[in-house]
Amino acid sequence: MSEELDKNDEIKDVPDYLGENEDTSGDTITKVTGMYRDWFLDYASYVILERAVPAIEDGFKPVQRRIMQSMKDLDDGRYNKVANIVGHTMQYHPHGDASIADAMVQIGQKDLLIDTQGNWGNIYTGDSAAASRYIEARLSKFALDVVYNPKITSWQASYDGRKKEPINLPVMFPLLLTQGAEGIAVGLSTKILPHNFIELIDASVKHLQGKRFTLYPDFPTGGIVDVENYNDGLRGGKIRSRARINQLDKNTLVITEIPFGSNTSSLIDSILKANDKGKIKVKKIEDNTAAEVEILIHLPGGISPDKTIDALYAFTSCETSISPLGCVIEDNRPLFIGVSEMLRRSTDRTVQLLKSELEIQLYELEEQWHYASLERIFIENRIYRDIEEEETWEGVISAIDKGLQPHIKHLKRAITEEDIVRLTEIRIKRISKFDIDKAQQKIDSLEDQIAKVKNHLNNLIEYAIDYFKRLKKEYGAGKERKSEIRVFDDIEATKVVIRNTKLYVNRAEGFVGTSLKRDEYVTDCSDIDDIIVFTEDGTMMVTKVDAKTFVGKGILHVSVFKKKDKRTIYNMIYKDGPRGATYVKRFAVTSITRDKEYDLTAGNKGSKVLYFTANPNGEAEVVTVLLRQSGSIKKLKFDQDFADVLVKGRASKGNIVTKHTVKRIDLKEKGLSTLKPRKIWFDDTVQRLNVDERGELLGEFTKEDRLLIINQKGIVKTVIPELSLRFDDDMIVLEKWDPKKPISAIYWEGEKELFYVKRFLIENPDRDESIITEHPKSYLERVFTDYRPMAEVVFVKDRGKERKDNLEVNLEEFISVKGITAMGNQLTKEKVLEINALDSLLYEAPAPVPAEDIDVVDEENVVAENTSEKHKNASGDPEPPIDEEGQTMLF
């Protein structure tokens, strides 16, 4: 901070009225600039160093350190009233009791350093703790183990000089990263996220072993976190935290874990606000949170649970973004470092503290050995008799020293007067009961301990590794990771928002909007949607939904615009200017600039659209073109099949339909989709479907095709493959459903206590059904979706007998296809060790339908077969090829 504002710097351009002026009393007024320079710097330094930012040495802010020292002062193994601890802490901390009590509650809620008793609040609901006079606390075993050691603690005088307080506590654990820290100072802040206890110990061990490690946050509230951009906790990093939301039934969602930094009250408030704004639709919310989070969200009928989950992440606090900032205090200065470096420094400091402990322990053991050896010499050689004739104290000391000299060659240090004085303090009773063998055993024991400590010092790194492993073994139970690490999918708000308003159009006057309720209704939409508009003069525009927007007179088509939509194909026939030819074109609109007008014609003034349709699945209809009688035209009526037209970009000119004047165009035959079945992939990283070739290809899907899903609970269902689908973590089968292919399952029947086999077809695609029986001990062992599956049964080895040979089972022959509710056949009555899946037998699938019988073409390049029959002009003669600009190509 001193670099930012040096006391020698001058602040210029100070108004005269702030300068030094003499008043009538002759007193001198100090410049405000000087006050600011001195006082503000002092205040900023104080807030940074003494209040907001933790020290890297022990991970504590001053108030936390003083609380921990006060608890040690009062520690007698029993609980103390928090009010008593707060009062004691005020001897060290020059602030009010409220700030101390709040800081202590925050430490206690992290359930690591303090054993709590009473109502300490709830991190899930946000409920505050009871008054400090009603709750109690004591130090945990972990805190007593890793936080305190007065012998290696540096001390300083408290603020009033009456007490000694630690400069830093000798914490031998990465406590700062375990608990996390957050604080706002003057011009500075810190936000260190909490990490997992076990993972930190493992990382410390890896660091001591010279191995690489990576740290990611772990939150006490659980939830799901995306740490791709964590950036080691440095400035500029970001993580995303989501609530864990599952589908309880078709109309109920349940939230069981919440994002870090939120609570159930704020979460429910955000859901209600999103519901009021029409972003989502919620029927009722129940908060059953107590020791664990449980928020039930009841949905109205007809609302998709999967889309609602996405909408909760998009529009509510069910997803939060957290920006870490690793800032600590080192040598009374702020230091910005990442969590990996924090762990390295903490681990290295732990090694040095362990070394200091061992050195002190070695010194104390050597002193005990030295005095035990002297005592033995003094009593065994009866040197105490040499002082009987001495009359002065100096004579006594001299006599003992002289008597010891022949026997002290093996001692490790010289004898001091203090040693001799201690010998004179030995009581006669102890001398009379002195046992030489026991004395030697004590000396031998001390020598063993000394050797052990020296070995630890010589192998300090191994000793430190064993220390961390001991902490993990003793205190790691129940501290497993709570937050699941997963890569999140990006949710497009426009795809999941509830259509909360209605769109209207006034075609003649050229207005669209949500306030034109007296005009033509178009569709339901949301207030964040974009709409696409086509007009008679061949222009297109995309604009945001608003109350009333002018887009151009003569509106032909208006709808909600879907970005990157390749399946909606627009079929158009237009006249190029007053005297130009008539063209036909097909195109998709995938990306645009909002509020920009695009000309879809050849660009000549006076162009007019004669026919226009929007086709969500690329349908290609057949229209009848009627010409006006003019000159020697022989054929005034002919058909135009849009399937013959290549789908190109919106800027293409198109193909010539006719050069004569068109009277009108009539729809002759509705078309079928000219798009190939859509290829769908499953990305296991984000557990979502996509059409972007990410993950595993599930197959090509038409509107009639469905997905087969089976989970570990034995629930079987089929679903329409919508990209908004969400999948449970216990899903074991996800593939394209073949209604004719049997499903084979081996399951444990809880009541019979035997394995059963069943084969079945799904007869109710819209219903979730269970493969296994309802007995609580029933479970699904194996499921097969191949036509001719094979399984291997490995039997338990009976004592004193040889293991039975493994049994190979052809499930197709073992049992016939029955209903899904049938129990099936017993697999075996023998005790089974495991059941494995073998390679399935070959199966010859029926011959596929010839390609020429399927009326579909490629989605990206929708074009019909280039046959001579289809490419004919109005007179029936073959029509030459047309380029992208609509011009005839010569061979």
Side-chain angles (χ1 to χ4, degrees), residues 301-317:
I303 298 296
S304 168
D306 292 321
K307 281 190 176 181
T308 302
I309 292 175
D310 283 345
L312 288 170
Y313 289 142
F315 302 115
T316 74
S317 299

CSV table of all heavy atoms in Angstrom, one decimal, residues 301-317:
chain,number,residue,atom,x,y,z
A,301,GLY,N,-49.8,-29.3,-15.1
A,301,GLY,CA,-49.8,-30.4,-16.1
A,301,GLY,C,-49.4,-29.9,-17.4
A,301,GLY,O,-49.7,-28.7,-17.8
A,302,GLY,N,-48.7,-30.7,-18.2
A,302,GLY,CA,-48.3,-30.4,-19.5
A,302,GLY,C,-47.0,-29.6,-19.6
A,302,GLY,O,-46.5,-29.3,-20.7
A,303,ILE,N,-46.3,-29.4,-18.5
A,303,ILE,CA,-45.1,-28.7,-18.5
A,303,ILE,C,-43.9,-29.7,-18.4
A,303,ILE,O,-43.9,-30.6,-17.6
A,303,ILE,CB,-45.0,-27.7,-17.2
A,303,ILE,CG1,-46.0,-26.6,-17.3
A,303,ILE,CG2,-43.6,-27.1,-17.2
A,303,ILE,CD1,-45.9,-25.7,-18.5
A,304,SER,N,-43.0,-29.5,-19.3
A,304,SER,CA,-41.8,-30.5,-19.4
A,304,SER,C,-40.9,-30.3,-18.2
A,304,SER,O,-40.4,-29.2,-18.0
A,304,SER,CB,-41.0,-30.2,-20.7
A,304,SER,OG,-39.8,-30.9,-20.7
A,305,PRO,N,-40.7,-31.4,-17.4
A,305,PRO,CA,-39.8,-31.3,-16.3
A,305,PRO,C,-38.3,-31.0,-16.7
A,305,PRO,O,-37.6,-30.2,-16.1
A,305,PRO,CB,-39.9,-32.7,-15.6
A,305,PRO,CG,-41.2,-33.2,-16.1
A,305,PRO,CD,-41.4,-32.7,-17.5
A,306,ASP,N,-37.9,-31.6,-17.9
A,306,ASP,CA,-36.6,-31.4,-18.3
A,306,ASP,C,-36.3,-29.9,-18.7
A,306,ASP,O,-35.3,-29.3,-18.4
A,306,ASP,CB,-36.3,-32.3,-19.6
A,306,ASP,CG,-36.2,-33.8,-19.2
A,306,ASP,OD1,-35.7,-34.0,-18.1
A,306,ASP,OD2,-36.7,-34.6,-19.9
A,307,LYS,N,-37.3,-29.3,-19.5
A,307,LYS,CA,-37.1,-27.9,-19.8
A,307,LYS,C,-37.2,-27.0,-18.6
A,307,LYS,O,-36.5,-26.0,-18.5
A,307,LYS,CB,-38.2,-27.5,-20.8
A,307,LYS,CG,-37.9,-28.0,-22.2
A,307,LYS,CD,-38.9,-27.3,-23.2
A,307,LYS,CE,-38.5,-27.7,-24.6
A,307,LYS,NZ,-39.5,-27.1,-25.6
A,308,THR,N,-38.0,-27.4,-17.6
A,308,THR,CA,-38.1,-26.6,-16.4
A,308,THR,C,-36.8,-26.6,-15.6
A,308,THR,O,-36.4,-25.6,-15.1
A,308,THR,CB,-39.2,-27.1,-15.5
A,308,THR,OG1,-40.5,-27.1,-16.2
A,308,THR,CG2,-39.4,-26.3,-14.3
A,309,ILE,N,-36.1,-27.8,-15.6
A,309,ILE,CA,-34.8,-27.8,-14.9
A,309,ILE,C,-33.8,-26.9,-15.6
A,309,ILE,O,-33.1,-26.1,-14.9
A,309,ILE,CB,-34.3,-29.3,-14.9
A,309,ILE,CG1,-35.1,-30.2,-14.0
A,309,ILE,CG2,-32.8,-29.3,-14.4
A,309,ILE,CD1,-34.8,-31.6,-14.0
A,310,ASP,N,-33.8,-26.9,-16.9
A,310,ASP,CA,-32.9,-26.0,-17.7
A,310,ASP,C,-33.3,-24.6,-17.4
A,310,ASP,O,-32.4,-23.7,-17.2
A,310,ASP,CB,-33.0,-26.3,-19.2
A,310,ASP,CG,-32.2,-27.5,-19.6
A,310,ASP,OD1,-31.4,-28.0,-18.8
A,310,ASP,OD2,-32.4,-28.0,-20.7
A,311,ALA,N,-34.6,-24.3,-17.3
A,311,ALA,CA,-35.1,-22.9,-17.1
A,311,ALA,C,-34.7,-22.5,-15.6
A,311,ALA,O,-34.4,-21.3,-15.4
A,311,ALA,CB,-36.6,-22.8,-17.2
A,312,LEU,N,-34.7,-23.4,-14.7
A,312,LEU,CA,-34.3,-23.0,-13.3
A,312,LEU,C,-32.8,-22.6,-13.3
A,312,LEU,O,-32.4,-21.7,-12.6
A,312,LEU,CB,-34.5,-24.2,-12.4
A,312,LEU,CG,-36.0,-24.5,-12.0
A,312,LEU,CD1,-36.1,-25.9,-11.3
A,312,LEU,CD2,-36.6,-23.4,-11.2
A,313,TYR,N,-32.0,-23.3,-14.1
A,313,TYR,CA,-30.6,-23.0,-14.1
A,313,TYR,C,-30.4,-21.6,-14.8
A,313,TYR,O,-29.5,-20.9,-14.5
A,313,TYR,CB,-29.8,-24.1,-14.8
A,313,TYR,CG,-29.6,-25.3,-14.0
A,313,TYR,CD1,-29.7,-26.6,-14.7
A,313,TYR,CD2,-29.4,-25.3,-12.7
A,313,TYR,CE1,-29.6,-27.8,-13.9
A,313,TYR,CE2,-29.3,-26.5,-11.9
A,313,TYR,CZ,-29.4,-27.7,-12.6
A,313,TYR,OH,-29.2,-28.9,-11.9
A,314,ALA,N,-31.3,-21.4,-15.9
A,314,ALA,CA,-31.1,-20.2,-16.7
A,314,ALA,C,-31.6,-18.9,-16.0
A,314,ALA,O,-31.0,-17.8,-16.2
A,314,ALA,CB,-31.8,-20.4,-18.0
A,315,PHE,N,-32.7,-19.0,-15.2
A,315,PHE,CA,-33.4,-17.8,-14.8
A,315,PHE,C,-33.4,-17.7,-13.2
A,315,PHE,O,-34.0,-16.7,-12.8
A,315,PHE,CB,-34.8,-17.8,-15.3
A,315,PHE,CG,-34.9,-17.9,-16.8
A,315,PHE,CD1,-35.5,-18.9,-17.4
A,315,PHE,CD2,-34.4,-16.8,-17.6
A,315,PHE,CE1,-35.6,-19.0,-18.8
A,315,PHE,CE2,-34.5,-16.9,-18.9
A,315,PHE,CZ,-35.1,-18.0,-19.6
A,316,THR,N,-32.9,-18.6,-12.5
A,316,THR,CA,-33.0,-18.5,-11.0
A,316,THR,C,-31.6,-18.7,-10.4
A,316,THR,O,-30.6,-18.9,-11.1
A,316,THR,CB,-33.9,-19.6,-10.4
A,316,THR,OG1,-33.3,-20.9,-10.5
A,316,THR,CG2,-35.3,-19.6,-11.2
A,317,SER,N,-31.6,-18.7,-9.1
A,317,SER,CA,-30.3,-18.8,-8.4
A,317,SER,C,-29.9,-20.3,-8.3
A,317,SER,O,-29.0,-20.6,-7.5
A,317,SER,CB,-30.4,-18.3,-6.9
A,317,SER,OG,-30.7,-16.9,-7.0
